[in-house]
Amino acid sequence: MPCRALLLLAVLSGWFTPSSFAQAPKAPPEKLDGPPIVTAKGWVIADGKTGQMLWGEKADEPLPIASTTKIMTAWIVLQLAAKNPEVLDEIVTVSEVAAKTTGSSAGVKAGDQLPVRELLYGLLLPSGNDAAMVFAEHFGPRLRLDGKPTEAVPSFVAEMNRQAATLKMKNTKYIDPHGLTKNLSTPRDLALLASTVLKDERFAAYVSTRSHSFDILTASGEKRTATWQNTNRLLGIEGYDGVKTGTTTAAGSCLVGSGRYQGDHLIVVVLGCTSNDSRYADTRNLFRVGWKERATKKP
């Protein structure tokens, strides 16, 4: 759109008037040092192996995290599978409640049946809120602390918070398994979580997959092919291999990213970006800053 048209649109929309723009005081001059300019409310660049923060801004400020919640949801399931490999072959049945979960979806329907290992793709690629509920309902009962009669989903969420405490994610609080409400965490905490879960080869394989299809057994006994596409657009660029997007009105656009360049593995977390496009621009800019800074400090 031509500049004149943009100016006219801004004036008509009430964004500013030419006179108010001309009379407004100028912002301070640009600083040549300090953190990169991004739209994110909080961000971190961290070492991929240790999760240790290298650079960040508002790194310890609790912010809504939307579907980046599902990193922990998947981690709970995969930890159960680490103790008992047969967990991945368990068949889950989608409930009416899970099927009606709003927001981003794996497209599963009430009565659908599929193995845990397949539904993990539905959780992590299209960011299925329905899949998160299926897992919470299915595994919650076996996660009850001391056998107390707690409902399935609260039991699963309690385990998410126990794991966060174990990992020393000091400013993280989960309320649900999908991120639709207001789960809170910080860029530092999410970087620590990402560095931990990426050490699991199965988790790393899931989040680096761009597309996956599976034939779901429906309630009527027929099969329906589900094809799940990864919401993480960074996977279209060589060197990026995860981890998870998240978007809600409260959280803005969020991303936990993993990238490798010339043997250097970094994790970048951005929370509260102004749009889906800006979260990718922010993340790529932070990765480039991180890789450049690390390269200059090598002996």
Side-chain angles (χ1 to χ4, degrees):
M1 183 180 293
C3 292
R4 183 177 298 177
L6 283 172
L7 178 59
L8 178 60
L9 177 61
V11 172
L12 291 175
S13 302
W15 298 342
F16 67 89
T17 63
S19 60
S20 65
F21 175 72
Q23 295 170 8
K26 286 188 175 183
E30 297 284 11
K31 294 182 179 180
L32 299 185
D33 58 356
I37 298 173
V38 297
T39 70
K41 292 180 179 178
W43 59 268
V44 150
I45 304 172
D47 183 273
K49 293 181 180 179
T50 65
Q52 181 180 357
M53 186 183 86
L54 304 172
W55 302 276
E57 188 171 20
K58 296 184 179 178
D60 296 311
E61 181 177 328
L63 294 166
I65 60 172
S67 286
T68 63
T69 292
K70 297 181 181 103
I71 299 172
M72 181 62 83
T73 303
W75 180 236
I76 299 299
V77 175
L78 289 171
Q79 281 196 302
L80 290 170
K83 297 175 182 177
N84 177 12
E86 294 180 0
V87 162
L88 293 176
D89 295 316
E90 291 182 16
I91 302 298
V92 295
T93 301
V94 179
S95 70
E96 289 276 0
V97 172
K100 292 180 179 178
T101 309
T102 59
S104 55
S105 174
V108 292
K109 301 177 181 179
D112 281 353
Q113 293 186 335
L114 66 165
V116 168
R117 69 172 71 249
E118 297 296 333
L119 189 58
L120 280 166
Y121 287 105
L123 175 77
L124 292 169
L125 274 61
S127 197
N129 295 331
D130 46 1
M133 282 296 291
V134 172
F135 284 135
E137 291 174 347
H138 183 78
F139 291 111
R142 72 187 71 177
L143 295 170
R144 290 171 179 162
L145 188 63
D146 299 327
K148 294 180 180 179
T150 310
E151 293 181 8
V153 175
S155 294
F156 190 92
V157 173
E159 179 64 19
M160 295 170 72
N161 286 308
R162 284 194 291 271
Q163 287 296 325
T166 298
L167 293 173
K168 297 182 180 180
M169 297 167 65
K170 299 178 181 179
N171 295 299
T172 297
K173 177 65 177 179
Y174 294 106
I175 300 173
D176 63 46
H178 38 61
L180 274 176
T181 52
K182 203 173 181 181
N183 295 337
L184 297 176
S185 189
T186 67
R188 189 195 298 268
D189 281 0
L190 288 178
L192 180 60
L193 175 61
S195 72
T196 299
V197 300
L198 283 170
K199 292 180 176 65
D200 186 305
E201 292 182 357
R202 291 167 301 187
F203 182 91
Y206 278 114
V207 297
S208 63
T209 300
R210 295 173 68 182
S211 179
H212 182 79
S213 297
F214 180 74
D215 290 336
I216 296 173
L217 183 65
T218 68
S220 63
E222 300 176 347
K223 288 188 176 181
R224 182 185 74 255
T225 302
T227 299
W228 297 305
Q229 307 289 346
N230 204 313
T231 58
N232 184 1
R233 300 204 316 245
L234 286 185
L235 296 180
I237 304 172
E238 194 66 45
Y240 294 110
D241 55 6
V243 176
K244 189 72 191 71
T245 62
T247 310
T248 62
T249 301
S253 295
C254 307
L255 178 62
V256 178
S258 170
R260 303 168 197 268
Y261 180 76
Q262 296 183 351
D264 189 11
H265 181 202
L266 293 178
I267 290 168
V268 167
V269 179
V270 291
L271 299 179
C273 297
T274 55
S275 69
N276 287 347
D277 286 340
S278 67
R279 76 172 161 207
Y280 294 112
D282 287 357
T283 302
R284 292 177 67 187
N285 286 333
L286 290 170
F287 269 114
R288 285 187 289 216
V289 166
W291 283 321
K292 184 178 180 179
E293 286 294 320
R294 294 255 279 193
T296 59
K297 292 181 179 180
K298 287 182 179 179

